[in-house]
Amino acid sequence: MTRTGVLLGTPTYMAPEQVMGRKDVDHRVDLWACGVILFRLLTGRRPHGGSVTAERLASIVKDDAPPLRSLRPDLDAGLEGLLRKALRRDPAERFQTAE
């Protein structure tokens, strides 16, 4: 059981709608988390910065992740596009299914 206002999960992998405490959270938060994992695997860093949890959560809500190829220019542009879509702040603009 959880309560309103209680942070549940690992902040780095939380989608913006989770951070904002929206009630319409669905499976697309998992697609966001997959994007974060892939970003970290490819770059060795988080897509959203901040030295403390509150800063990182604020960045997730308001900042785009840096372009993948700004950190790894050797990677394919298509992969950068995939990550850009996976990490859209608006869930309607993200992938709608894992398929």
Side-chain angles (χ1 to χ4, degrees), residues 34-35 37-39 41-43 66-69 72-87 95:
C34 287
I37 291 166
L38 183 56
F39 190 96
L41 284 170
L42 294 169
T43 67
L68 176 65
R69 291 176 34 160
R72 289 282 312 271
D74 59 310
L75 295 177
D76 184 73
L79 185 55
E80 182 175 55
L82 180 138
L83 276 175
R84 190 172 33 254
K85 185 169 178 92
L87 296 175
F95 291 106

Side-chain angles (χ1 to χ4, degrees), residues 42-57:
L42 294 169
T43 67
R45 59 171 279 189
R46 298 176 179 105
H48 296 91
S51 58
V52 295
T53 299
E55 289 173 355
R56 189 166 310 124
L57 293 174

Side-chain angles (χ1 to χ4, degrees), residues 5-99:
V6 174
L7 182 64
L8 180 64
T10 305
T12 295
Y13 302 96
M14 292 177 75
E17 60 270 31
Q18 288 175 295
V19 173
M20 293 184 296
R22 289 178 27 187
K23 301 293 184 202
D24 61 340
V25 171
D26 61 22
H27 64 281
R28 293 173 291 186
V29 300
D30 294 328
L31 300 175
W32 168 279
C34 287
V36 173
I37 291 166
L38 183 56
F39 190 96
R40 286 192 80 178
L41 284 170
L42 294 169
T43 67
R45 59 171 279 189
R46 298 176 179 105
H48 296 91
S51 58
V52 295
T53 299
E55 289 173 355
R56 189 166 310 124
L57 293 174
S59 179
I60 289 168
V61 170
K62 68 179 183 65
D63 299 327
D64 290 331
L68 176 65
R69 291 176 34 160
S70 70
L71 302 167
R72 289 282 312 271
D74 59 310
L75 295 177
D76 184 73
L79 185 55
E80 182 175 55
L82 180 138
L83 276 175
R84 190 172 33 254
K85 185 169 178 92
L87 296 175
R88 295 275 168 98
R89 289 190 309 276
D90 181 349
E93 295 177 3
R94 251 180 253 149
F95 291 106
Q96 300 303 297
T97 70
E99 190 176 314

